[in-house]
Amino acid sequence: MGIVAAYVAPHPPLIVPSVGRGQEHAIRNTLSAYQEIACRIAAHAPDVIVVVSPHAPLYRDCFHVSTGDGAHGDMGQFGAWDASLTVAYDASFAAAVSACARGRDVSICGSGMRDGELDHGTFVPLYFVNEKYADYRLVRVGLSGLPARDHREMGRCIAEAARDLDRRTVLVASGDLSHKLKEDGPYGLAPEGPVFDRNVTSLLDAGDLEGLFTFDGAFREAAAECGLGSLQVMAGALDGSAFTHELLSYEGPFGVGYAVAAFEVAGSQGDGAVVSAVDREADARMARNEATSSASVDPFVKLARASVESFVRVGRLIDLPANLPPDLADARAGVFVSLHKDGDLRGCIGTIEPVTGSVAEEVIRNAVAAASNDPRFSPVSVDELGSLSYSVDVLFPPEPIEGLDELDVARFGVIVGKGSRRGLLLPNLDGVDSVEQQVDIAKRKAGISVDEGGVQLARFEVVRHERGGEARRA
């Protein structure tokens, strides 16, 4: 036997009907997905259910694995004493996990009296499971302040114990996502919150478990997540197995992200489905170095792509790379970065005049803004990254003009201004065939009506950088 399935499950107490008292209907998709995984677990008829919970005893320098005969849990702290359950522990399984972890230099610690009381991160998933199936023993594992690689090793030890003891085992990774999704939510809104949830759900939907090891610690903290460690343990437990993957639901109406996902094990892959963050970073560095050595990739475009991919994947601006060419590192200018997908515009943000210390910083800032903050489009998701193309326009200083006869749509961009309102349109754009059309579009972007007079005009030239081509004046 061994691990037969793993499920991602959130743990909002109000999803238990006697706690929610009707509020659970606001997350009906989560409730339906929960009932689905409970049915799947019952169909698997596991000997053991391992629940990895961020609300089990938590220590900075070691992992808790519950010991003893069993535990009781209820929703009394949430006003629902009638919602309760008692489960038996699998002591030999817990001991095998602990022995394996110690053998891999991963610290394990006990927690005495706290072993007999189930936390709500464990209780909520088991509440739904027990409605369908109760003939199992429980192993409860907490998280720690140790590195992500140690969480992966804990997952591997869970899988090893399941195989060695010949236990048919299901793992439940209990955890909510960001707690900062809405201004009126209990924890408020942080920009990193929605980005974190989009990234994690995209990874779960794609079955890309290795991506769970790439998140920056400061980004995780800003997003106020509680479940990533559980997901990393799950990823370690699935290492070496072939599995199907399915994101069953995602919701966040209360300002906290709830994702439910299913991973059904199909067989052994041999090489493992999860790689370490160190190996992943080495691969990424190699790919970047190979790209750097390729004369066909423009350094402006490379920098824009790297900026977007870092932000979309891990929510962090990249550091300014070393050894940039002087026209990136030393020059200052306004920069526009445009993203396209399947030939259509996917985002475009820029600065008319420089606001940072270099063109390189301008590219980084505006590439991220084009991917995440163009009001015309939703933010770019992880699964779109491979299909994006980039262009970077470096602007020459604008010069005032008196009339349309001084414009050329192929050569000059235009800036239209009136008072505090300003609109800009780049040169040489598909579908813009006349200077009148160019100025009208720039007016609309500025919030100036097409027939409104008294506007000031300026023109500018750009050097356009695109993938696979030399930089050129537009």
Side-chain angles (χ1 to χ4, degrees):
M1 288 293 105
I3 302 287
V4 296
Y7 302 99
V8 175
H11 46 246
L14 61 78
I15 202 172
V16 177
S18 57
V19 176
R21 299 177 183 177
Q23 294 184 75
E24 68 273 15
H25 298 303
I27 50 172
R28 60 175 58 87
N29 292 337
T30 303
L31 181 60
S32 176
Y34 239 125
Q35 292 165 341
E36 167 69 16
I37 64 172
C39 290
R40 294 193 189 190
I41 291 173
H44 283 301
D47 305 310
V48 175
I49 295 178
V50 178
V51 177
V52 184
S53 170
H55 297 287
L58 174 67
Y59 298 93
R60 180 182 61 82
D61 56 353
C62 57
F63 289 92
H64 165 82
V65 180
S66 289
T67 57
D69 296 327
H72 174 81
D74 58 54
M75 290 282 99
Q77 64 177 311
F78 303 103
W81 293 99
D82 58 323
S84 65
L85 58 88
T86 299
V87 293
Y89 284 144
D90 189 324
S92 60
F93 196 117
V97 171
S98 297
C100 172
R102 292 188 180 102
R104 299 186 182 200
D105 294 323
V106 177
S107 297
I108 300 295
C109 52
S111 57
M113 296 297 292
R114 298 173 72 188
D115 282 347
E117 181 180 345
L118 295 179
D119 62 284
H120 76 274
T122 302
F123 178 95
V124 172
L126 294 184
Y127 174 86
F128 289 93
V129 171
N130 278 28
E131 290 184 330
K132 307 293 184 181
Y133 179 77
D135 191 18
Y136 65 89
R137 288 182 176 270
L138 173 68
V139 173
R140 184 173 66 140
V141 177
L143 303 181
S144 76
L146 295 171
R149 62 178 177 270
D150 290 331
H151 288 74
R152 185 178 57 252
E153 289 302 324
M154 280 298 294
R156 289 172 172 166
C157 283
I158 291 168
E160 181 176 304
R163 289 191 300 269
D164 290 350
L165 297 174
D166 196 28
R167 301 279 208 276
R168 189 173 182 83
T169 303
V170 165
L171 185 144
V172 176
S174 176
D176 300 334
L177 300 186
S178 172
H179 287 60
K180 292 192 174 183
L181 299 182
K182 298 178 67 176
E183 288 186 356
D184 58 353
Y187 306 95
L189 171 67
E192 296 84 354
V195 174
F196 178 85
D197 280 19
R198 283 196 302 272
N199 291 350
V200 171
T201 52
S202 292
L203 292 170
L204 296 176
D205 193 33
D208 180 11
L209 299 187
E210 67 181 68
L212 297 171
F213 295 94
T214 64
F215 288 91
D216 176 72
F219 174 56
R220 291 177 59 182
E221 184 175 354
E225 59 82 24
C226 84
L228 186 61
S230 296
L231 303 186
Q232 291 170 341
V233 173
M234 179 192 74
L238 292 173
D239 189 16
S241 298
F243 51 81
T244 62
H245 51 86
E246 185 178 4
L247 179 65
L248 296 173
S249 71
Y250 171 77
E251 294 178 296
F254 304 123
V256 179
Y258 305 135
V260 182
F263 299 84
E264 307 287 346
V265 174
S268 175
Q269 282 184 323
D271 291 335
V274 181
V275 299
S276 69
V278 173
D279 290 342
R280 181 179 173 84
E281 283 303 308
D283 291 344
R285 283 195 299 273
M286 183 181 298
R288 287 194 294 269
N289 290 339
E290 290 173 352
T292 301
S293 66
S294 172
S296 67
V297 181
D298 184 284
F300 290 73
V301 173
K302 281 193 305 180
L303 183 59
R305 180 182 294 278
S307 302
V308 170
E309 292 189 350
S310 173
F311 185 79
V312 173
R313 290 188 184 280
V314 301
R316 183 179 63 180
L317 294 179
I318 63 171
D319 295 328
L320 197 64
N323 303 317
L324 290 171
D327 50 353
L328 268 170
D330 301 331
R332 297 182 72 238
V335 170
F336 272 73
V337 178
S338 302
L339 315 180
H340 286 81
K341 179 180 177 182
D342 300 327
D344 296 324
L345 185 66
R346 185 62 182 83
C348 179
I349 294 288
T351 44
I352 298 174
E353 297 173 347
V355 297
T356 66
S358 68
V359 169
E361 293 173 84
E362 216 83 20
V363 171
I364 293 170
R365 166 189 169 129
N366 294 337
V368 168
S372 64
N373 205 32
D374 188 327
R376 298 168 293 177
F377 304 96
S378 61
V380 168
S381 64
V382 171
D383 57 2
E384 292 181 279
L385 292 175
S387 58
L388 295 180
S389 61
Y390 298 75
S391 64
V392 178
D393 289 301
V394 181
L395 278 61
F396 285 76
E399 55 179 359
I401 59 174
E402 297 298 326
L404 302 187
D405 58 341
E406 297 182 66
L407 288 172
D408 179 335
V409 294
R411 178 182 176 187
F412 296 112
V414 67
I415 301 169
V416 178
K418 186 172 184 180
S420 61
R421 295 174 291 170
R422 283 208 299 181
L424 175 148
L425 198 67
L426 295 170
N428 197 24
L429 297 179
D430 291 339
V432 181
D433 302 316
S434 69
V435 295
E436 291 81 6
Q437 185 183 11
Q438 185 185 41
V439 170
D440 286 349
I441 294 172
K443 279 185 172 182
R444 288 196 293 270
K445 292 179 71 175
I448 301 170
S449 64
V450 172
D451 57 357
E452 191 170 344
V455 298
Q456 292 80 46
L457 298 175
R459 71 183 186 183
F460 60 92
E461 293 185 86
V462 305
V463 174
R464 179 160 294 164
H465 300 261
E466 296 176 302
R467 179 178 176 84
E470 294 184 359
R472 57 183 175 81
R473 287 199 182 202

